[in-house]
Amino acid sequence: KKATIYEPPSAGSHYTRDTARRDQDPAFPNPEIERLKLELLPQDDPRVQEAKAIFEEGPKSSPGNKGMFATGKSDFDPKGLRATMSASHEGLNESLDANMPDHLPYPDWWTKQDEIVAWYEERGLPVPIGGTGWGLVPREGRIARW
């Protein structure tokens, strides 16, 4: 992407892509989990009703300044994620959703699983879970050398 006078070449903010720490902030926990926790509690308890009212209000932390700075309204970042003081909860969650990992790693034996099963079945042995052999110490490595 080529930078222009109005569009910088990159965004240096890490928090817009930091999915590992998502929902770990006690001031802004995962709303779905918090809703489930409240639904599991006795609904006639006044403390639960108070907690539900607080939950419905939303996060108490700063909602961002909506792009309004001392120098005027910012027009180069419509989502407000260039600076932490302008970031809103909605914009941050949208950015984190876009950066969530969408893959699951596979073990190194995954592509050879049919061969592994066939090898054990040919010999009449029980088939282990997954492939073995990775990370095993050879016999010579287990013999003491002193």
Side-chain angles (χ1 to χ4, degrees):
K1 180 174 169 180
K2 187 175 181 188
T4 66
I5 191 168
Y6 301 107
E7 192 172 329
S10 64
S13 56
H14 76 283
Y15 65 93
T16 59
R17 301 177 307 277
D18 190 7
T19 58
R21 281 180 251 184
R22 185 177 197 173
D23 302 324
Q24 290 185 354
D25 180 6
F28 192 50
N30 184 332
E32 294 165 8
I33 293 175
E34 293 302 311
R35 181 177 289 114
L36 287 172
K37 286 180 184 177
L38 289 171
E39 288 175 2
L40 292 172
L41 295 171
Q43 299 302 308
D44 56 347
D45 188 335
R47 295 173 296 178
V48 174
Q49 293 171 357
E50 180 183 341
K52 284 180 91 168
I54 292 171
F55 173 75
E56 293 302 324
E57 289 177 15
K60 297 282 193 234
S61 55
S62 173
N65 66 4
K66 310 288 189 264
M68 212 36 155
F69 293 94
T71 56
K73 181 94 172 131
S74 171
D75 59 352
F76 67 87
D77 182 22
K79 295 196 187 276
L81 296 176
R82 279 290 291 216
T84 53
M85 68 184 285
S86 66
S88 66
H89 296 298
E90 297 81 20
L92 179 59
N93 281 334
E94 185 180 322
S95 175
L96 290 173
D97 288 341
N99 285 289
M100 285 299 284
D102 59 357
H103 70 284
L104 293 174
Y106 291 101
D108 58 354
W109 51 262
W110 188 260
T111 57
K112 302 182 292 183
Q113 56 188 329
D114 294 331
E115 298 169 28
I116 294 169
V117 169
W119 188 90
Y120 282 93
E121 286 178 347
E122 285 172 4
R123 290 160 177 78
L125 298 170
V127 180
I129 297 173
T132 60
W134 183 84
L136 295 180
V137 178
R139 183 183 64 84
E140 292 79 14
R142 295 190 305 262
I143 298 173
R145 295 184 209 135
W146 56 78

